[in-house]
Amino acid sequence: MNLTEPLRTPIRGFDPGARFAEIRTFLQDHLVGADALIERLLVGLLADGHVLLEGAPGLAKTRAVKLLARALDLSFARIQCTPDLMPADVTGTSIWRQDRGVFEFAAGPIFHSLLLVDEINRAPPKVQSSLLEAMAERQATIAGATHALPDPFMTVATQNPIEHEGTFPLPEAQLDRFMLHVELALPDAETERRILDLVEREEQGEPAAPPAALDAEEIAAARHAAKTVFLSAAVKDYIVRLVTAPRDAKIAPELAAKIEHPSSSRGTLALAAAAKARAFLDGRDYVSPQDVSELAVDVLSHRTILGWRALAEGETPRAIIRAYLDAVAPA
Ligand SMILES: Nc1ncnc2c1ncn2[C@@H]1O[C@H](COP(=O)(O)OP(=O)(O)OP(=O)(O)O)[C@@H](O)[C@H]1O
Ligand SMILES: [Mg+2]
């Protein structure tokens, strides 16, 4: 399949829920055993959040984002991070135009609506901070002038956890800029076989039938619809109890002792927005406790910083958040 092939022109008079369902099916047809990943990418898109994908090489991270780009009628750019990357390679720079005697701004890849930042942990800290600043503020300041980024603007970054040489781990405080942190596991034998079959079919040229791409206007309408999904007082309480539990040592003392910095209010807001988007994707107009519990690990773990002792004992933030899900009841 040619991932860069353009799609048919978008349709008018659409139902945002049905259009997202179509896109979800398209992604599921081309990514085997990746339902959770697909859901997280669409949740990020709907809830105006950035997504960090973490997994070993060859787990279809790049493929997933390229497929998403294909399903969206948005400008797409990819940055392959290396230790010698410079902030201007990402944001752009002013170029002297000899013929006209003026400086002209040449926009960098950051000025695209969907940005794939491959191997973000190979980029040096200055590049990471300019990226993360753009993600948070949706603007970039270059040579003293501030430029707004396009709307929508979504970053999907990937990082490979098994590489340490020549990498710059993302600072914890900046990880907060990502709405979701998705960890990908190696597939089981049955999934592996389906991947082999799918890639073989593609190589033999079986035509893919992509749906009409979603454009910025449709995404804006779907985002609005997702925001109006009903979040009951009981589910709000559940979100708040989950996020604040690590701040209160009485709730689960053995877990709280392992955490040095629990999530801030950004985690609460992100979890509520993501849960609404998940409900919307499922065709519901209300958030269920499952929307919250399903997404809690991906929303909260990268905002939860463990103490050195817990890390030395091999604890992970993901396992701690999972344990909190058992300790905090939905209603
Ligand atoms: N779940 C899957 N569904 C479909 N194809 C898959 C799946 N997993 C792996 N593949 C195939 O494996 C190959 C590797 O995928 P891709 O390049 O996207 O991996 P990656 O996670 O970006 O790896 P890296 O970290 O090395 O960049 C692709 O040819 C892809 O088609
Ligand atoms: Mg890749």
Side-chain angles (χ1 to χ4, degrees):
M1 181 186 54
N2 177 4
L3 295 180
T4 53
E5 180 187 301
L7 291 166
R8 285 181 282 126
T9 44
I11 43 164
R12 288 279 151 259
F14 71 103
D15 162 4
R19 295 284 285 115
F20 265 80
E22 238 173 67
I23 301 294
R24 174 149 47 175
T25 308
F26 165 69
L27 295 174
Q28 283 169 337
D29 286 348
H30 293 92
L31 280 172
V32 177
D35 290 359
L37 166 63
I38 292 166
E39 181 186 88
R40 273 40 168 195
L41 288 172
L42 294 178
V43 162
L45 179 67
L46 275 167
D48 200 4
H50 307 288
V51 180
L52 177 60
L53 304 181
E54 184 157 334
L59 290 182
K61 298 183 294 294
T62 305
R63 180 187 172 95
V65 185
K66 281 186 166 177
L67 280 166
L68 180 66
R70 220 182 142 212
L72 305 177
D73 188 20
L74 300 177
S75 66
F76 170 66
R78 171 182 180 171
I79 304 171
Q80 180 66 49
C81 298
T82 53
D84 59 356
L85 201 68
M86 312 248 261
D89 296 330
V90 170
T91 56
T93 189
S94 291
I95 295 171
W96 176 250
R97 293 292 302 256
Q98 184 81 34
D99 50 340
R100 283 188 269 134
V102 287
F103 277 104
E104 209 173 74
F105 177 60
I110 207 157
F111 290 92
H112 290 269
S113 275
L114 181 62
L115 182 65
L116 166 59
V117 183
D118 240 334
E119 300 187 82
I120 192 169
N121 53 338
R122 287 180 156 269
K126 267 192 183 173
V127 172
Q128 289 180 357
S129 78
S130 63
L131 264 171
L132 295 162
E133 194 184 305
M135 287 162 56
E137 288 161 32
R138 285 155 205 283
Q139 62 179 39
T141 306
I142 300 127
T146 301
H147 306 264
L149 298 184
D151 183 30
F153 171 66
M154 178 181 179
T155 306
V156 182
T158 74
Q159 70 176 356
N160 181 340
I162 55 181
E163 255 177 351
H164 294 294
E165 196 118 346
T167 63
F168 304 89
L170 288 173
E172 277 94 351
Q174 297 191 346
L175 275 173
D176 222 21
R177 302 306 185 245
F178 288 98
M179 175 176 268
L180 296 151
H181 176 202
V182 183
E183 228 176 53
L184 303 168
L186 286 168
D188 59 17
E190 191 253 324
T191 310
E192 198 73 52
R193 174 59 200 269
R194 283 165 50 218
I195 294 172
L196 184 56
D197 288 341
L198 171 70
V199 173
E200 189 183 39
R201 276 202 309 279
E202 286 176 1
E203 282 172 356
Q204 289 169 359
E206 189 175 293
L214 275 173
D215 65 16
E217 211 182 305
E218 288 176 310
I219 293 167
R223 282 181 172 183
H224 179 75
K227 276 191 193 131
T228 60
V229 167
F230 179 63
L231 183 60
S232 70
V235 179
K236 273 186 192 162
D237 272 353
Y238 178 42
I239 294 174
V240 168
R241 280 186 293 115
L242 263 180
V243 176
T244 57
R247 302 180 201 165
D248 180 353
K250 289 194 294 293
I251 294 173
E254 69 294 352
L255 295 177
K258 296 181 174 161
I259 298 176
E260 195 165 289
H261 295 290
S263 165
S264 73
S265 311
R266 249 206 212 118
T268 310
L269 302 175
L271 189 50
K276 283 184 173 193
R278 185 178 186 272
F280 173 85
L281 278 175
D282 272 4
R284 276 177 286 113
D285 58 2
Y286 63 92
V287 176
S288 72
Q290 287 73 23
D291 292 322
V292 175
S293 56
E294 277 292 315
L295 293 171
V297 173
D298 285 356
V299 173
L300 298 176
S301 62
H302 59 297
R303 308 171 200 268
T304 303
I305 299 166
L306 304 188
W308 63 270
R309 196 185 298 272
L311 289 172
E313 287 165 358
E315 289 284 3
T316 62
R318 299 183 82 83
I320 302 277
I321 300 296
R322 255 183 245 117
Y324 268 109
L325 283 167
D326 292 333
V328 177

